[in-house]
Amino acid sequence: MTRPPAVGSPSEEGEKRAEREGTAGAPATATDTATIPATDAASVPATAPATGTTPVRRGRRRAVFLLAVVIAWTLFIAARTAFSGRWWLWNGLGLAPPLAHLLIPLALLIPAALVARRRRVTLGLVLVSLLLGSWQSGLHPGALLHGRDEVPADALRVVSWNTFFWDQDSDPDDFYAYLKSRPADVYLLQEYQNARDGEPVPIDRLARVEAEFPGYHVATAGEFLTLSRYPLTAVTALRPDGLAAPDTAWADYWNIRALRTDLRVGGRTVSLYNTHLPDLLNVDRNPLTPSYHRSVRQLSERRERHFGELRADLDANENPVVLAGDINVLPGTGDLRWFRGLRDAADDGDSLYPATFPVRGPALWRLDWAFVSPGIDVHRHVLDDPPADLSTHRLIDLRLSLPDTDTDTHTAPAPTPDSDKDRS
């Protein structure tokens, strides 16, 4: 006896489906005979879940990362603007090559303009950092516009150079030959010294100097040597009071960081300051150690006293001034406030980026400067690369014209030494 099919059996469901689709009588297939359980359509996902990160999410993360980088850089450049040269701790932090303060925001400008999210905020911060960075970049765009004017025949020729331990690491004949290849009326030379066991030591090369530069007047004090074709009317070594005990046996190296010489040039008196101000930091110490930061702070305190002594002398000096040397100041920093009232001679030079250190490879930092009184005309400000075995610093070559007015009636009397410490 054949058992009738149960209601809802596979064969019955297949026949009904075939009738609905207009295929009654067609042979049933395996699909037709498969049981399709009833389900809730809402419980079945429309698509399979995506694997990985969606493009929208990736774009959001990139925008957040870019904004974080821009915020960090803007805070850094703003802090450098506020603290450099004013807070000792910054002396060990803000030492990036000055040109980087312009190049980094320029590099951030393109992705900031293309980012889809938070574009306005990101782009605005980049523009702020670009504005601040351009002021601290050390660029002199005016150099592109300056022509080579004719230098008057009576122009004062001044050379300033950090010799880097004089002739210690080079052939003395090569050293003097290079120096004489840059003819000058006045040479402002720093690091007239040698080094022994990592410490500065004084030297005596005056016999050779006088033989190489006959007829020049010579002034020395500490690490400084000044040569002049013109008579010296006064020589003053600037020694500030209240300095900490020197770090090495040669006290004058630490205590004298500027040598002033007054010259008579064409009936006028002009003051030249041969300068080498203390370093910002000691590169031989590990920045992750407490001794490094103590050293940075001690050097900062010493710098402040030397800056203050130099500023006081400038304020009391009514002569035209030429100040040059390795002053260890970076462009756009607060230390430049000590030279207010003087003009950067590089403004009239032909170098777009007048960096002076190091000589080997591209010069990235400007440590050596020349400043002049507003009334002095600068006809030339040229940087020259010495042979790398002579020095790590580039040489500054100036051609200047002094004011026409006789400065005798505007000259402060030369200070009279009241103790041995005021004699050089």
Side-chain angles (χ1 to χ4, degrees), residues 371-408:
F371 296 94
V372 298
S373 296
I376 295 179
D377 292 330
V378 179
H379 306 291
R380 291 283 188 277
H381 176 282
V382 177
L383 300 176
D384 188 69
D385 291 328
D389 62 333
L390 296 186
S391 177
T392 57
H393 292 255
R394 302 174 79 185
L395 176 146
I396 301 175
D397 197 340
L398 302 170
R399 297 293 182 270
L400 312 169
S401 285
L402 302 179
D404 293 333
T405 304
D406 191 332
T407 58
D408 284 355

Side-chain angles (χ1 to χ4, degrees), residues 84-409:
S84 62
R86 294 180 174 87
W87 183 30
W88 69 268
L89 186 60
W90 197 261
N91 289 352
L93 299 175
L95 298 177
L99 193 58
H101 303 130
L102 178 65
L103 297 180
I104 290 177
L106 284 176
L108 292 172
L109 196 59
I110 296 176
L114 298 178
V115 70
R117 300 175 63 87
R118 299 182 176 88
R119 180 186 302 168
R120 184 175 299 177
V121 174
T122 305
L123 191 57
L125 288 174
V126 170
L127 292 176
V128 170
S129 69
L130 181 61
L131 178 64
L132 294 175
S134 62
W135 175 62
Q136 302 181 47
S137 66
L139 288 179
H140 287 253
L144 301 176
L145 306 176
H146 292 157
R148 281 267 181 167
D149 297 334
E150 184 176 353
V151 178
D154 62 347
L156 181 67
R157 300 172 298 175
V158 178
V159 161
S160 174
W161 186 35
N162 181 334
T163 64
F164 196 65
F165 303 129
W166 206 247
D167 58 359
Q168 177 170 327
D169 299 320
S170 60
D171 184 293
D173 293 338
D174 293 341
F175 175 83
Y176 289 103
Y178 172 72
L179 197 55
K180 292 164 66 176
S181 73
R182 310 299 302 189
D185 300 311
V186 181
Y187 291 90
L188 304 176
L189 305 175
Q190 302 96 53
E191 295 203 10
Y192 173 59
Q193 64 185 64
N194 282 174
R196 186 180 303 124
D197 298 327
E199 294 187 1
V201 293
I203 59 174
D204 183 0
R205 303 285 192 276
L206 291 183
R208 176 71 185 266
V209 168
E210 291 171 350
E212 296 287 348
F213 296 91
Y216 279 79
H217 304 272
V218 183
T220 64
E223 63 159 286
F224 299 101
L225 188 146
T226 297
L227 293 168
S228 172
R229 288 185 183 275
Y230 297 96
L232 306 179
T233 61
V235 177
T236 307
L238 303 186
R239 292 182 177 91
D241 296 324
L243 288 171
D247 290 348
T248 59
W250 185 22
D252 278 355
Y253 172 80
W254 298 95
N255 297 339
I256 302 173
R257 307 305 289 185
L259 175 64
R260 169 182 166 180
T261 51
D262 292 354
L263 320 177
R264 291 293 294 177
V265 181
R268 293 156 299 196
T269 302
V270 58
S271 297
L272 290 102
Y273 291 81
N274 190 353
T275 57
H276 185 186
L277 294 168
D279 294 334
L280 290 162
L281 52 86
N282 188 337
V283 296
D284 295 328
R285 298 196 178 184
N286 185 348
L288 301 180
T289 61
S291 64
Y292 169 83
H293 296 284
R294 283 196 300 270
S295 174
V296 171
R297 184 164 192 168
Q298 291 167 358
L299 285 170
S300 176
E301 292 171 353
R302 188 175 290 275
R303 283 168 63 87
E304 287 287 315
R305 292 193 178 275
H306 283 291
F307 275 128
E309 181 75 9
L310 178 59
R311 184 68 249 178
D313 197 85
L314 289 169
D315 288 340
N317 189 352
E318 297 183 8
N319 299 329
V321 165
V322 178
L323 186 155
D326 177 4
I327 66 172
N328 282 309
V329 169
L330 296 175
T333 60
D335 286 327
L336 289 173
R337 71 188 185 278
W338 297 103
F339 304 96
R340 66 183 184 274
L342 299 178
R343 190 160 55 89
D344 183 1
D347 290 341
D348 295 307
D350 57 2
S351 177
L352 178 63
Y353 187 60
T356 62
F357 178 89
V359 169
R360 288 186 176 91
L364 298 177
W365 289 270
R366 186 183 184 191
L367 302 179
D368 307 82
W369 299 64
F371 296 94
V372 298
S373 296
I376 295 179
D377 292 330
V378 179
H379 306 291
R380 291 283 188 277
H381 176 282
V382 177
L383 300 176
D384 188 69
D385 291 328
D389 62 333
L390 296 186
S391 177
T392 57
H393 292 255
R394 302 174 79 185
L395 176 146
I396 301 175
D397 197 340
L398 302 170
R399 297 293 182 270
L400 312 169
S401 285
L402 302 179
D404 293 333
T405 304
D406 191 332
T407 58
D408 284 355
T409 59

